[in-house]
Amino acid sequence: MPPGTRRSNGMSFLQNNKSSSTNVHEARIALGARLRELRQRSNMTGRQLAESLHWQASKVSRLENGKQTPSDADITAWTRTTGSEQEKPDLLATLHTLEVQHAEWQRQLRTGLKSHQSQVAETNAKTRMFRVFECTYVPGLLQTSEYARSRFEQSVKIFKVQNDVHEAVKSRMQRQDILYRPEKRFHFVLTEAVLRYRLCSPEVMLGQLDRLLAMTSLPNVKLGIIPFETTYVVAPSHGFWLLDTDRVMVETFSAELNLAQPQETKLYGEVFDVLATAASYHREARSILNRAIEDLAQQLSNS
């Protein structure tokens, strides 16, 4: 596809839309406002409530202003003390939705990397259509075991969690079985930078590029690559996964965002379409991959 296609439509997708992290923050603020309303309805000041619960007054302020996410116990104590226990189920449901939407890696990975891979596998099993854009990493479903090991080892180092890398790699490789299920459809769009970044050893990356080349022949997998020389209509700000039409997953350094608001899934669907239009497929994609393989093989031979 020629660079710059659909320029007139692309920028409108970014107008008047808040970021994922902003939406999470606003949801936390809205929950805090509901807690403040219950306190005020009970004719208690923030200090009185804090004293009743043996909390510091600053905790009440942080919760009401969305600067701290309450726990289940916090909500239980709050509704009991303000005489609004009938509100507890709804508040807990709101909290749990917020927790799913913004799942911190430290919390998700505290039981190990394999456990999280198992959770992802359950989600993948329910999904029929995958639309994936990545500008930095090779997507997990397309990774070799050696590349996956490099990614998991980084997670252990950064988050200082249980080192079950071997089990996590095995689980990720098992997840890839869904690529061969005929009822599943996959559309991957990668920037050429994904092929060039050195996130593992050159030898491992060479094997990973060969794997991507093989993936272009799968009948239910569509693999597009956006070349370096492309003029972007929408900037490749971050990677994301669209699962069917009702969920978007975005990974940040600190958390995994799970977005399900219709306006959010619609926005990401439109952004994906623009990025996919800029990508090269089939013979052109294989040509880009082969150039990356040849360049890396040349570097290895010269080293």
Side-chain angles (χ1 to χ4, degrees), residues 20-32:
S20 303
S21 58
T22 299
N23 289 332
V24 170
H25 179 59
E26 289 183 346
R28 191 182 292 115
I29 289 176
L31 178 57

Side-chain angles (χ1 to χ4, degrees), residues 245-259:
T245 59
D246 52 10
R247 181 176 177 181
V248 181
M249 294 175 60
V250 180
E251 294 185 358
T252 71
F253 274 111
S254 63
E256 176 186 274
L257 307 181
N258 288 271
L259 312 177

Side-chain angles (χ1 to χ4, degrees), residues 112-113 149 152-153 156 160-167:
L113 297 162
R149 182 174 299 278
F152 286 131
E153 287 175 347
V156 170
K160 297 177 176 59
V161 294
Q162 174 183 337
N163 189 340
D164 59 347
V165 169
H166 179 74
E167 291 78 8

Side-chain angles (χ1 to χ4, degrees), residues 33 89 95 112 202 258 265 283:
L95 171 63
N258 288 271
T265 56
R283 181 181 299 175

